[in-house]
Amino acid sequence: MSSTATTITNELNSFSYAQIAVAVAVLYDHVLTFNREIDYIWRRSPSLVAALYLLDRYLGDSVVILGTYLCLSADASTEVSSRLFQVRAWGTLLCSWLTQCIMQLRIYAMYGRTRWILVVLVLAFFSEVLAIVVIIWRTIGPTSDLAITDEPFPGKHVCYFSGINANFVYVFIPVLCFEMLLFFLAIRVSLNNMRDRKTTPGTSSLRVNSFMSILVRDSILYFFINLAMCAIVMGLWQNAAALHATISIPFIMLVETVIGTRMVINFKEHCSRRFSSEPIMVVGSIRFAGVSEESARQDTTIYDQSKEGDEEMQAIKGDQTSTEVITCEEL
């Protein structure tokens, strides 16, 4: 076997190992959370965040399985391999966008569903999507130099791709810009809530209620994980061979799918444990279910819980028009 063939074989093996490891991790995480998925997604009323969760989870599963098939299949034609490669590439992007949509819903709720924050998020998101689509189209689209074959050298039948432009690394710039916007908005609303609590007698200015703290914590964690991931991938694409750099792509799928779905499940589980017997606390212009009696002794509103398991709560007391009711069904 020639040195070129040996190099290609080693690169393909490395990529296959990475893809299989990611597939196992994603599917294993789904198995671990499946019982909670049944309890908090399938048995609850339909909602937008539940739809995003299901799309993110099952599309992620499908993409990693498809990626594993591409790595192991020896009988797929060049045309089939090319189409499956495009599906996997765009599927990874779609999962990333679904996770970002979940984060946007949280930011939107944290700001009391004000119109200006909706406009900012929608415009920024579609600007990011447009920039990514243009970059991806130029680097791996039909007019690019991307070449896919089912026989990289005689006797070796496997999907092999080459010719990915180094400009592919620029796809992470709009991602980082949008993630920085989400991070800034989360920090801003957290500081505003601390300031509001400082003016409320009997509360600590450095403490926010558990629901707000979870939303802010997840936003900060999501930002720094994505920051680290983008830095690593961009570094690889600048300093490594193209195929070696693409080993990092399956891990993007892992991070986006696991983080996006875990955030939804964990928040719904927290809501379910706390809101059934605890009051509602008014923080700024948002009511959060599930804070303690002590921290909610100021400005509380009691909700009707006669319908067990029904999270679409109806207010008994309080001004319904002055505040926004946030429940775990919506987040």
Side-chain angles (χ1 to χ4, degrees):
M1 184 181 295
S2 66
S3 59
T4 301
T6 301
T7 301
I8 292 176
T9 299
N10 291 335
E11 291 176 344
L12 288 172
N13 289 339
S14 298
F15 186 80
S16 298
Y17 296 150
Q19 182 65 62
I20 293 171
V22 167
V24 171
V26 169
L27 296 176
Y28 181 65
D29 181 73
H30 195 177
V31 171
L32 291 179
T33 59
F34 188 70
N35 287 337
R36 287 187 288 171
E37 178 185 313
I38 295 295
D39 291 336
Y40 303 124
I41 301 295
W42 293 105
R43 292 179 178 173
R44 303 297 173 92
S45 302
S47 64
L48 177 57
V49 73
L52 291 173
Y53 169 91
L54 293 173
L55 284 172
D56 201 0
R57 171 57 78 185
Y58 288 94
L59 178 61
D61 291 351
S62 301
V63 171
V64 296
I65 292 173
L66 176 61
T68 302
Y69 170 78
L70 279 174
C71 291
L72 301 179
S73 176
D75 55 358
S77 65
T78 300
E79 182 179 359
V80 171
S81 296
S82 178
R83 290 180 179 178
L84 292 179
F85 174 84
Q86 294 290 341
V87 169
R88 184 181 62 175
W90 292 103
T92 301
L93 281 173
L94 184 55
C95 284
S96 177
W97 290 333
L98 288 170
T99 300
Q100 288 183 343
C101 286
I102 293 172
M103 296 304 301
Q104 289 178 81
L105 285 178
R106 292 180 164 214
I107 297 294
Y108 183 44
M110 291 161 68
Y111 277 83
R113 300 190 184 91
T114 54
R115 179 170 296 181
W116 74 267
I117 197 67
L118 178 63
V119 172
V120 169
L121 289 173
V122 170
L123 288 179
F125 179 66
F126 280 104
S127 298
E128 178 210 23
V129 171
L130 179 60
I132 290 175
V133 168
V134 171
I135 295 171
I136 291 294
W137 189 264
R138 292 176 63 90
T139 53
I140 65 172
T143 60
S144 68
D145 295 330
L146 176 68
I148 300 177
T149 179
D150 61 342
E151 191 174 5
F153 57 87
K156 182 66 174 180
H157 294 275
V158 68
C159 177
Y160 177 79
F161 52 91
S162 60
I164 298 180
N165 195 306
N167 292 333
F168 178 83
V169 71
Y170 296 133
V171 76
F172 296 100
I173 294 178
V175 173
L176 280 175
C177 291
F178 185 71
E179 300 297 349
M180 291 177 64
L181 173 64
L182 296 181
F183 176 73
F184 168 77
L185 292 173
I187 293 297
R188 180 178 181 272
V189 76
S190 177
L191 295 176
N192 287 342
N193 274 275
M194 288 182 183
R195 183 190 60 194
D196 292 342
R197 289 182 63 81
K198 186 176 182 179
T199 61
T200 302
T203 59
S204 170
S205 61
L206 297 179
R207 182 183 175 190
V208 296
N209 73 82
S210 61
F211 279 64
M212 179 64 77
S213 66
I214 289 176
L215 295 177
V216 174
R217 180 202 65 192
D218 287 351
S219 297
I220 294 174
L221 181 65
Y222 176 73
F223 169 75
F224 281 107
I225 290 177
N226 274 277
L227 180 64
M229 179 181 67
C230 289
I232 292 172
V233 174
M234 291 175 73
L236 286 173
W237 276 93
Q238 290 292 334
N239 301 290
L243 191 57
H244 282 154
T246 56
I247 293 175
S248 61
I249 301 301
F251 291 97
I252 296 177
M253 190 79 224
L254 172 64
V255 170
E256 296 295 343
T257 301
V258 172
I259 288 182
T261 54
R262 283 273 181 169
M263 285 192 303
V264 173
I265 287 293
N266 290 344
F267 189 79
K268 285 181 175 292
E269 185 176 40
H270 180 82
C271 292
S272 181
R273 288 177 177 177
R274 300 196 62 180
F275 97 109
S276 60
S277 60
E278 297 181 349
I280 306 300
M281 181 176 183
V282 178
V283 181
S285 61
I286 310 175
R287 287 194 182 106
F288 287 92
V291 298
S292 65
E293 292 280 354
E294 179 182 358
S295 62
R297 63 178 179 269
Q298 299 289 334
D299 297 325
T300 58
T301 303
I302 306 302
Y303 282 79
D304 181 11
Q305 297 171 354
S306 59
K307 296 182 179 180
E308 183 178 358
D310 185 4
E311 295 164 2
E312 297 296 332
M313 301 176 292
Q314 300 296 323
I316 299 175
K317 299 179 182 179
D319 182 7
Q320 289 180 303
T321 61
S322 63
T323 56
E324 195 71 45
V325 179
I326 305 299
T327 69
C328 61
E329 278 297 328
E330 301 161 342
L331 297 174

